[in-house]
Every structure is written in structure tokens, then in C-alpha cells.
Amino acid sequence: MGVHGIGGDATARGVPPDSAPPRGGPPSIGVEEEFLLVDAVSGECVPDAERVLAAAGPHRWTGSGGSFQNELLTSQVEAATGVCRDLASLGEQLRFGRARLAAAARAGGALLVSSGTPVLDGPPPPPARGDRFAEIMAVYGDVVEDYQACGCHVHVAVPDREAAVAVVNHLRPWLPVLLALSVNSPFDHGRPTGYACRRMVEMARFPGAGVPPWSASAAAWDARVAALVEAGVLVDPAMTFWLARPSPRWPTVEVRAADAAPTADDAVLQAALVRGLVGAALADLSAGREAPRADGQVCAAALWNAARHGLGGTLADPVTRRAVPARRLVDDMVARAAPALEDTGDLDTVFTLLEAVRRAGTGADRQRRAARRGGPRAAVRMLARQTESGRLTGGPPAPPDGPPVRRPGTPPHATRGEEPGVWDARERVPEPDAPLTTEDT
């Protein structure tokens, strides 16, 4: 798909049309993950994408749309799952993609890192080869010269394109909440930014970034995109910067609010919640309930709150227009998605993974703790371990060609404090009202 629409549309690169939901079955799902490549010694980004992709070889699930791809800049690579019907299959493919790319990176002295922005500074990497990438560089100039932002993008099947646009309307108020849960980019080229999600600040440089506008129909959506292309601010209709959109080709909705997920479990959690929210939206549409026309400026304010503070602050609720603690909105989001999650059998998995985030903190929390203890390079090493381990709730990583180690949502088999490379008992995140200890300051 490319970095937030910059590289094109993944559905145009191989995800097959059988992503439509089976009759009476749960909507199919797929995830694209963007990663950084960093030098194993210095921790700085390296332009090693071509070598890593060649070493990784073909994706095991190529037949259902799985792929490894380059990105706009040569310090980034992408792993896309094929079409999945359940979270167990999704988790297996996510762990496979991470393990294969990590092994390919290590073979050349690099590390695969899942972070929304680079932790350490370094020279801007050259763009990837290709006419489209050259055109993008020409249109956006220095805005993209060092745009090494990475996200986690979730695709969920819907009945048709009209439904996709209507579902996006329903998703609008929840996009800042999905971001707050996923923040994983507190650093910018060696500098602590004070933001939990610096990636969102980088995205704001592009025209039309953020929460998409409410659209009355697919025709209205397409007309708006066409006007932006005509204005010269988008290269083509496949390139938009909104955090949710209907696919340009297939009956799917793509949600790209999340930072690059620290672990595969984090990505599974994001995917489960998105599918649950899509299911809730489809249920409302079937009952004739239109999405609330949440104010666009309040949505933008909520998105800024989420980027600045993650789960540690309040968000402007786009519907009530009141400030609400981010953690409470996460609970509200789960309650909204719960009926659909029960239908797919995913509710227990979501509760298990949310509890792991509550204990370990967001990706931004984890990066900051590691940097406080050992400097920015320690944060990079921690990120590399998390990326390849793939797990929030314990257990060893799967080998590049091995089976999944644990079905998502099953009880963790590691003792608290023993999960390798992710968190330990000293890193417990305090409850919002709990006094800080010297470990937390």
C-alpha cells in the first residue's frame, strides 16, 4: 500500500477479490505492516531494502495476497498478510512476515524495527526505484525526502463500495481512539519529541491527512478524491492520506490510524478492534442508523490529543464534544465492538491483549522506558526484540518457516516479568490515579 497511501494501493498489488465476506461468515481481514531497517551497531536507518527483500524471497501466502514490498524510501520494507478469516491465521501470517524479514535483515548486519518513526538520527535514505516513486518525490518535494513514517494498516471486507463509504462514516469518531491505543513513535531522529505519536505530526504535512470527511455516498467520496487529484495535491485516486478509506478496487475498508505495531500481538489487537467496529457499523446500517456527523475540527482535535498523549491524557469526544479520558474511550470502543467481537469469537482475545497493553504500556511508553535506562540505542534494541518476538503476552518467536507458537488470546504461559524483550515487572505501567514511583519518573 505504501506509507499511508504514498506507495499506492495494496489491493491493486495482489489482494484478490475473494476478500469479500463469505455468506453468513465473519468479514475477512488482512494487515499491512511497515518496518524500518536499522544498522545493528549504530541503530541508525540504513538504505537496505532491496537486499532484504531479495533475501526474504516470496511470501508463503502469496496465493491469497501475502507479499513483501518496498516503500517510498529504501530504509523501509512492508509485509502484507494474505486474506485471513480468523485471528489465529492472521497472527500466524504476521509472525511469519516479521520473522522472515528480520532474518533477511540480520544476514546483512541490519535489524528490523517496528516503530512509527526512527529513534535515532541519520542521513536521509534515497527513494526506491520506480517511476511512481520519482513522481511522488517531484510532487511533494522535501516533505517526503526523509518521511520514514511507518504504520499498521487493517483491511476488512464489506458487502460493497457504498457500504464501505458508510462504514468509514461510522469509524470517524473512533480513529483517534485507535491511534491513542497504538502510539509507538515518541522519538524523531534522536530527539524525544514530547509526542506519543510523532508519526501523526509528520503525516499532517500532507494535504487531506487525518480523519476523513463525512460522505453521503460512494459517488460523493469519489468526487472529492477526483477534485484533489485535479488540484494536483494527489498523484492519482489510489493516493489519499485519510486514516480510513474504501479501497479503490475491492469491497474493503482500510483503516490506517495505528502506528507501526511493536509486536504482532499489538497488530492482532488493532485488527480485531477494527473488524469489530466495522461489524458494529454494518449492524447499524442494517438497522437504518446513519453515522453521526461528528464535527471535523473536533475530530482533528481528538487526533492531536491522541498523538500528543496516547492513553495518558484526554481526548475530545467528537460526538459529545467533551473531554474524556482516553482509557475510558478505549472501554467505550470495546463496548461498541463487543457484539461483533462475540460473533467472531474474538472478545476474549481482545480482553487478553488489552490487559497486556495495560501492563506493558503503549509502544511509546516502552520506548521511553528503554531510553531512560539505556539511552536511545537501548530503545532500538528493545524494538528489534519486540518486532521479531511478535508477542505481548509471552512465548518464544516462531521461526521464519515454522508454525505459530500460540493461538492469540490463549493464556500467556510466561510468568509475569519473564516475557522476553517486551516488558518486565519493573516496567509495570501505573494506573492513571496511582502515585508515581521513582521507577516511573
Side-chain angles (χ1 to χ4, degrees), residues 150-175:
C150 296
C152 174
H153 305 169
V154 180
H155 296 258
V156 180
V158 293
D160 52 50
R161 188 166 174 77
E162 287 295 340
V165 172
V167 165
V168 168
N169 289 339
H170 278 274
L171 292 175
R172 293 175 69 240
W174 300 109
L175 296 174

PDB file of all heavy atoms in Angstrom, residues 150-175:
ATOM      1  N   CYS A 150       6.029   4.920   9.626  1.00  0.00           N
ATOM      2  CA  CYS A 150       5.528   3.565   9.404  1.00  0.00           C
ATOM      3  C   CYS A 150       4.233   3.344  10.183  1.00  0.00           C
ATOM      4  O   CYS A 150       4.109   3.768  11.331  1.00  0.00           O
ATOM      5  CB  CYS A 150       6.555   2.523   9.865  1.00  0.00           C
ATOM      6  SG  CYS A 150       8.104   2.546   8.932  1.00  0.00           S
ATOM      7  N   GLY A 151       3.290   2.650   9.539  1.00  0.00           N
ATOM      8  CA  GLY A 151       2.005   2.387  10.161  1.00  0.00           C
ATOM      9  C   GLY A 151       1.612   0.927  10.064  1.00  0.00           C
ATOM     10  O   GLY A 151       2.290   0.106   9.436  1.00  0.00           O
ATOM     11  N   CYS A 152       0.507   0.619  10.724  1.00  0.00           N
ATOM     12  CA  CYS A 152      -0.120  -0.697  10.682  1.00  0.00           C
ATOM     13  C   CYS A 152      -1.507  -0.503  10.084  1.00  0.00           C
ATOM     14  O   CYS A 152      -2.344   0.180  10.672  1.00  0.00           O
ATOM     15  CB  CYS A 152      -0.208  -1.277  12.096  1.00  0.00           C
ATOM     16  SG  CYS A 152      -1.124  -2.829  12.218  1.00  0.00           S
ATOM     17  N   HIS A 153      -1.738  -1.091   8.915  1.00  0.00           N
ATOM     18  CA  HIS A 153      -2.966  -0.857   8.159  1.00  0.00           C
ATOM     19  C   HIS A 153      -3.825  -2.109   8.146  1.00  0.00           C
ATOM     20  O   HIS A 153      -3.343  -3.198   7.820  1.00  0.00           O
ATOM     21  CB  HIS A 153      -2.641  -0.447   6.724  1.00  0.00           C
ATOM     22  CG  HIS A 153      -1.726   0.737   6.618  1.00  0.00           C
ATOM     23  ND1 HIS A 153      -1.137   1.137   5.444  1.00  0.00           N
ATOM     24  CD2 HIS A 153      -1.291   1.608   7.560  1.00  0.00           C
ATOM     25  CE1 HIS A 153      -0.385   2.202   5.653  1.00  0.00           C
ATOM     26  NE2 HIS A 153      -0.458   2.507   6.936  1.00  0.00           N
ATOM     27  N   VAL A 154      -5.089  -1.948   8.485  1.00  0.00           N
ATOM     28  CA  VAL A 154      -6.018  -3.073   8.591  1.00  0.00           C
ATOM     29  C   VAL A 154      -7.056  -2.974   7.484  1.00  0.00           C
ATOM     30  O   VAL A 154      -7.668  -1.918   7.292  1.00  0.00           O
ATOM     31  CB  VAL A 154      -6.721  -3.080   9.962  1.00  0.00           C
ATOM     32  CG1 VAL A 154      -7.688  -4.252  10.061  1.00  0.00           C
ATOM     33  CG2 VAL A 154      -5.699  -3.125  11.092  1.00  0.00           C
ATOM     34  N   HIS A 155      -7.261  -4.083   6.766  1.00  0.00           N
ATOM     35  CA  HIS A 155      -8.288  -4.178   5.725  1.00  0.00           C
ATOM     36  C   HIS A 155      -9.384  -5.138   6.182  1.00  0.00           C
ATOM     37  O   HIS A 155      -9.086  -6.247   6.635  1.00  0.00           O
ATOM     38  CB  HIS A 155      -7.683  -4.703   4.416  1.00  0.00           C
ATOM     39  CG  HIS A 155      -6.654  -3.796   3.809  1.00  0.00           C
ATOM     40  ND1 HIS A 155      -6.928  -2.971   2.749  1.00  0.00           N
ATOM     41  CD2 HIS A 155      -5.346  -3.578   4.121  1.00  0.00           C
ATOM     42  CE1 HIS A 155      -5.843  -2.290   2.416  1.00  0.00           C
ATOM     43  NE2 HIS A 155      -4.870  -2.644   3.244  1.00  0.00           N
ATOM     44  N   VAL A 156     -10.625  -4.714   6.067  1.00  0.00           N
ATOM     45  CA  VAL A 156     -11.761  -5.550   6.433  1.00  0.00           C
ATOM     46  C   VAL A 156     -12.756  -5.548   5.278  1.00  0.00           C
ATOM     47  O   VAL A 156     -13.076  -4.489   4.715  1.00  0.00           O
ATOM     48  CB  VAL A 156     -12.454  -5.043   7.717  1.00  0.00           C
ATOM     49  CG1 VAL A 156     -13.634  -5.934   8.082  1.00  0.00           C
ATOM     50  CG2 VAL A 156     -11.466  -4.985   8.877  1.00  0.00           C
ATOM     51  N   ALA A 157     -13.259  -6.737   4.926  1.00  0.00           N
ATOM     52  CA  ALA A 157     -14.203  -6.859   3.818  1.00  0.00           C
ATOM     53  C   ALA A 157     -15.577  -6.320   4.217  1.00  0.00           C
ATOM     54  O   ALA A 157     -16.022  -6.469   5.355  1.00  0.00           O
ATOM     55  CB  ALA A 157     -14.324  -8.314   3.377  1.00  0.00           C
ATOM     56  N   VAL A 158     -16.234  -5.686   3.257  1.00  0.00           N
ATOM     57  CA  VAL A 158     -17.607  -5.198   3.411  1.00  0.00           C
ATOM     58  C   VAL A 158     -18.396  -5.614   2.175  1.00  0.00           C
ATOM     59  O   VAL A 158     -17.812  -6.007   1.160  1.00  0.00           O
ATOM     60  CB  VAL A 158     -17.646  -3.663   3.595  1.00  0.00           C
ATOM     61  CG1 VAL A 158     -17.009  -3.255   4.914  1.00  0.00           C
ATOM     62  CG2 VAL A 158     -16.942  -2.960   2.436  1.00  0.00           C
ATOM     63  N   PRO A 159     -19.736  -5.543   2.228  1.00  0.00           N
ATOM     64  CA  PRO A 159     -20.527  -6.068   1.097  1.00  0.00           C
ATOM     65  C   PRO A 159     -20.278  -5.378  -0.236  1.00  0.00           C
ATOM     66  O   PRO A 159     -20.281  -6.028  -1.283  1.00  0.00           O
ATOM     67  CB  PRO A 159     -21.974  -5.872   1.565  1.00  0.00           C
ATOM     68  CG  PRO A 159     -21.891  -5.880   3.057  1.00  0.00           C
ATOM     69  CD  PRO A 159     -20.589  -5.212   3.377  1.00  0.00           C
ATOM     70  N   ASP A 160     -20.079  -4.065  -0.235  1.00  0.00           N
ATOM     71  CA  ASP A 160     -19.912  -3.331  -1.498  1.00  0.00           C
ATOM     72  C   ASP A 160     -19.328  -1.960  -1.192  1.00  0.00           C
ATOM     73  O   ASP A 160     -19.103  -1.598  -0.037  1.00  0.00           O
ATOM     74  CB  ASP A 160     -21.243  -3.201  -2.252  1.00  0.00           C
ATOM     75  CG  ASP A 160     -22.356  -2.626  -1.392  1.00  0.00           C
ATOM     76  OD1 ASP A 160     -22.133  -1.572  -0.758  1.00  0.00           O
ATOM     77  OD2 ASP A 160     -23.437  -3.240  -1.330  1.00  0.00           O
ATOM     78  N   ARG A 161     -19.093  -1.193  -2.255  1.00  0.00           N
ATOM     79  CA  ARG A 161     -18.428   0.100  -2.091  1.00  0.00           C
ATOM     80  C   ARG A 161     -19.317   1.115  -1.365  1.00  0.00           C
ATOM     81  O   ARG A 161     -18.821   1.930  -0.585  1.00  0.00           O
ATOM     82  CB  ARG A 161     -18.003   0.631  -3.458  1.00  0.00           C
ATOM     83  CG  ARG A 161     -17.133   1.877  -3.369  1.00  0.00           C
ATOM     84  CD  ARG A 161     -16.449   2.182  -4.686  1.00  0.00           C
ATOM     85  NE  ARG A 161     -15.737   3.455  -4.630  1.00  0.00           N
ATOM     86  CZ  ARG A 161     -14.568   3.630  -4.034  1.00  0.00           C
ATOM     87  NH1 ARG A 161     -13.982   2.613  -3.446  1.00  0.00           N
ATOM     88  NH2 ARG A 161     -13.998   4.816  -4.028  1.00  0.00           N
ATOM     89  N   GLU A 162     -20.613   1.104  -1.607  1.00  0.00           N
ATOM     90  CA  GLU A 162     -21.492   2.006  -0.869  1.00  0.00           C
ATOM     91  C   GLU A 162     -21.410   1.714   0.628  1.00  0.00           C
ATOM     92  O   GLU A 162     -21.360   2.625   1.456  1.00  0.00           O
ATOM     93  CB  GLU A 162     -22.933   1.867  -1.359  1.00  0.00           C
ATOM     94  CG  GLU A 162     -23.202   2.462  -2.728  1.00  0.00           C
ATOM     95  CD  GLU A 162     -23.044   3.978  -2.782  1.00  0.00           C
ATOM     96  OE1 GLU A 162     -23.094   4.641  -1.726  1.00  0.00           O
ATOM     97  OE2 GLU A 162     -22.855   4.504  -3.897  1.00  0.00           O
ATOM     98  N   ALA A 163     -21.410   0.426   0.967  1.00  0.00           N
ATOM     99  CA  ALA A 163     -21.278   0.064   2.377  1.00  0.00           C
ATOM    100  C   ALA A 163     -19.930   0.521   2.929  1.00  0.00           C
ATOM    101  O   ALA A 163     -19.843   0.963   4.083  1.00  0.00           O
ATOM    102  CB  ALA A 163     -21.435  -1.444   2.550  1.00  0.00           C
ATOM    103  N   ALA A 164     -18.882   0.433   2.113  1.00  0.00           N
ATOM    104  CA  ALA A 164     -17.553   0.841   2.573  1.00  0.00           C
ATOM    105  C   ALA A 164     -17.538   2.312   2.976  1.00  0.00           C
ATOM    106  O   ALA A 164     -17.002   2.675   4.032  1.00  0.00           O
ATOM    107  CB  ALA A 164     -16.524   0.570   1.481  1.00  0.00           C
ATOM    108  N   VAL A 165     -18.129   3.168   2.158  1.00  0.00           N
ATOM    109  CA  VAL A 165     -18.147   4.600   2.468  1.00  0.00           C
ATOM    110  C   VAL A 165     -18.990   4.861   3.712  1.00  0.00           C
ATOM    111  O   VAL A 165     -18.604   5.656   4.587  1.00  0.00           O
ATOM    112  CB  VAL A 165     -18.666   5.398   1.264  1.00  0.00           C
ATOM    113  CG1 VAL A 165     -18.879   6.864   1.637  1.00  0.00           C
ATOM    114  CG2 VAL A 165     -17.682   5.297   0.101  1.00  0.00           C
ATOM    115  N   ALA A 166     -20.129   4.186   3.833  1.00  0.00           N
ATOM    116  CA  ALA A 166     -20.979   4.361   5.016  1.00  0.00           C
ATOM    117  C   ALA A 166     -20.278   3.868   6.273  1.00  0.00           C
ATOM    118  O   ALA A 166     -20.408   4.472   7.350  1.00  0.00           O
ATOM    119  CB  ALA A 166     -22.299   3.626   4.817  1.00  0.00           C
ATOM    120  N   VAL A 167     -19.523   2.780   6.168  1.00  0.00           N
ATOM    121  CA  VAL A 167     -18.767   2.274   7.313  1.00  0.00           C
ATOM    122  C   VAL A 167     -17.696   3.277   7.728  1.00  0.00           C
ATOM    123  O   VAL A 167     -17.482   3.522   8.924  1.00  0.00           O
ATOM    124  CB  VAL A 167     -18.142   0.903   6.987  1.00  0.00           C
ATOM    125  CG1 VAL A 167     -17.061   0.537   7.996  1.00  0.00           C
ATOM    126  CG2 VAL A 167     -19.223  -0.174   6.963  1.00  0.00           C
ATOM    127  N   VAL A 168     -16.999   3.873   6.778  1.00  0.00           N
ATOM    128  CA  VAL A 168     -15.985   4.881   7.100  1.00  0.00           C
ATOM    129  C   VAL A 168     -16.617   6.022   7.901  1.00  0.00           C
ATOM    130  O   VAL A 168     -16.017   6.526   8.855  1.00  0.00           O
ATOM    131  CB  VAL A 168     -15.306   5.396   5.817  1.00  0.00           C
ATOM    132  CG1 VAL A 168     -14.461   6.641   6.112  1.00  0.00           C
ATOM    133  CG2 VAL A 168     -14.426   4.316   5.209  1.00  0.00           C
ATOM    134  N   ASN A 169     -17.838   6.427   7.531  1.00  0.00           N
ATOM    135  CA  ASN A 169     -18.524   7.464   8.307  1.00  0.00           C
ATOM    136  C   ASN A 169     -18.673   7.043   9.772  1.00  0.00           C
ATOM    137  O   ASN A 169     -18.465   7.846  10.688  1.00  0.00           O
ATOM    138  CB  ASN A 169     -19.913   7.726   7.726  1.00  0.00           C
ATOM    139  CG  ASN A 169     -19.868   8.449   6.392  1.00  0.00           C
ATOM    140  OD1 ASN A 169     -18.881   9.100   6.049  1.00  0.00           O
ATOM    141  ND2 ASN A 169     -20.942   8.337   5.625  1.00  0.00           N
ATOM    142  N   HIS A 170     -19.040   5.791  10.005  1.00  0.00           N
ATOM    143  CA  HIS A 170     -19.208   5.297  11.368  1.00  0.00           C
ATOM    144  C   HIS A 170     -17.880   5.189  12.108  1.00  0.00           C
ATOM    145  O   HIS A 170     -17.838   5.300  13.342  1.00  0.00           O
ATOM    146  CB  HIS A 170     -19.890   3.924  11.347  1.00  0.00           C
ATOM    147  CG  HIS A 170     -21.383   3.982  11.227  1.00  0.00           C
ATOM    148  ND1 HIS A 170     -22.202   4.113  12.310  1.00  0.00           N
ATOM    149  CD2 HIS A 170     -22.197   3.925  10.141  1.00  0.00           C
ATOM    150  CE1 HIS A 170     -23.469   4.124  11.922  1.00  0.00           C
ATOM    151  NE2 HIS A 170     -23.491   4.007  10.602  1.00  0.00           N
ATOM    152  N   LEU A 171     -16.792   4.964  11.387  1.00  0.00           N
ATOM    153  CA  LEU A 171     -15.481   4.804  12.026  1.00  0.00           C
ATOM    154  C   LEU A 171     -14.862   6.133  12.451  1.00  0.00           C
ATOM    155  O   LEU A 171     -13.972   6.150  13.317  1.00  0.00           O
ATOM    156  CB  LEU A 171     -14.516   4.101  11.066  1.00  0.00           C
ATOM    157  CG  LEU A 171     -14.803   2.640  10.729  1.00  0.00           C
ATOM    158  CD1 LEU A 171     -13.824   2.154   9.666  1.00  0.00           C
ATOM    159  CD2 LEU A 171     -14.707   1.764  11.977  1.00  0.00           C
ATOM    160  N   ARG A 172     -15.292   7.232  11.875  1.00  0.00           N
ATOM    161  CA  ARG A 172     -14.621   8.517  12.079  1.00  0.00           C
ATOM    162  C   ARG A 172     -14.377   8.849  13.553  1.00  0.00           C
ATOM    163  O   ARG A 172     -13.259   9.216  13.938  1.00  0.00           O
ATOM    164  CB  ARG A 172     -15.413   9.637  11.405  1.00  0.00           C
ATOM    165  CG  ARG A 172     -15.425   9.538   9.893  1.00  0.00           C
ATOM    166  CD  ARG A 172     -16.323  10.609   9.260  1.00  0.00           C
ATOM    167  NE  ARG A 172     -15.775  11.946   9.420  1.00  0.00           N
ATOM    168  CZ  ARG A 172     -16.408  12.940  10.068  1.00  0.00           C
ATOM    169  NH1 ARG A 172     -17.594  12.719  10.640  1.00  0.00           N
ATOM    170  NH2 ARG A 172     -15.847  14.127  10.163  1.00  0.00           N
ATOM    171  N   PRO A 173     -15.382   8.743  14.461  1.00  0.00           N
ATOM    172  CA  PRO A 173     -15.125   9.136  15.855  1.00  0.00           C
ATOM    173  C   PRO A 173     -14.145   8.224  16.579  1.00  0.00           C
ATOM    174  O   PRO A 173     -13.597   8.616  17.620  1.00  0.00           O
ATOM    175  CB  PRO A 173     -16.516   9.052  16.506  1.00  0.00           C
ATOM    176  CG  PRO A 173     -17.493   9.051  15.383  1.00  0.00           C
ATOM    177  CD  PRO A 173     -16.803   8.377  14.245  1.00  0.00           C
ATOM    178  N   TRP A 174     -13.924   7.010  16.062  1.00  0.00           N
ATOM    179  CA  TRP A 174     -13.089   6.039  16.762  1.00  0.00           C
ATOM    180  C   TRP A 174     -11.643   6.048  16.291  1.00  0.00           C
ATOM    181  O   TRP A 174     -10.779   5.432  16.929  1.00  0.00           O
ATOM    182  CB  TRP A 174     -13.678   4.632  16.602  1.00  0.00           C
ATOM    183  CG  TRP A 174     -15.054   4.532  17.149  1.00  0.00           C
ATOM    184  CD1 TRP A 174     -16.220   4.395  16.452  1.00  0.00           C
ATOM    185  CD2 TRP A 174     -15.430   4.601  18.535  1.00  0.00           C
ATOM    186  NE1 TRP A 174     -17.293   4.365  17.308  1.00  0.00           N
ATOM    187  CE2 TRP A 174     -16.836   4.484  18.591  1.00  0.00           C
ATOM    188  CE3 TRP A 174     -14.712   4.723  19.730  1.00  0.00           C
ATOM    189  CZ2 TRP A 174     -17.542   4.514  19.799  1.00  0.00           C
ATOM    190  CZ3 TRP A 174     -15.412   4.758  20.937  1.00  0.00           C
ATOM    191  CH2 TRP A 174     -16.804   4.651  20.957  1.00  0.00           C
ATOM    192  N   LEU A 175     -11.339   6.747  15.227  1.00  0.00           N
ATOM    193  CA  LEU A 175      -9.967   6.741  14.713  1.00  0.00           C
ATOM    194  C   LEU A 175      -8.972   7.334  15.722  1.00  0.00           C
ATOM    195  O   LEU A 175      -7.878   6.780  15.906  1.00  0.00           O
ATOM    196  CB  LEU A 175      -9.907   7.479  13.376  1.00  0.00           C
ATOM    197  CG  LEU A 175     -10.712   6.823  12.233  1.00  0.00           C
ATOM    198  CD1 LEU A 175     -10.711   7.715  10.995  1.00  0.00           C
ATOM    199  CD2 LEU A 175     -10.158   5.437  11.901  1.00  0.00           C
TER     200      LEU A 175
END
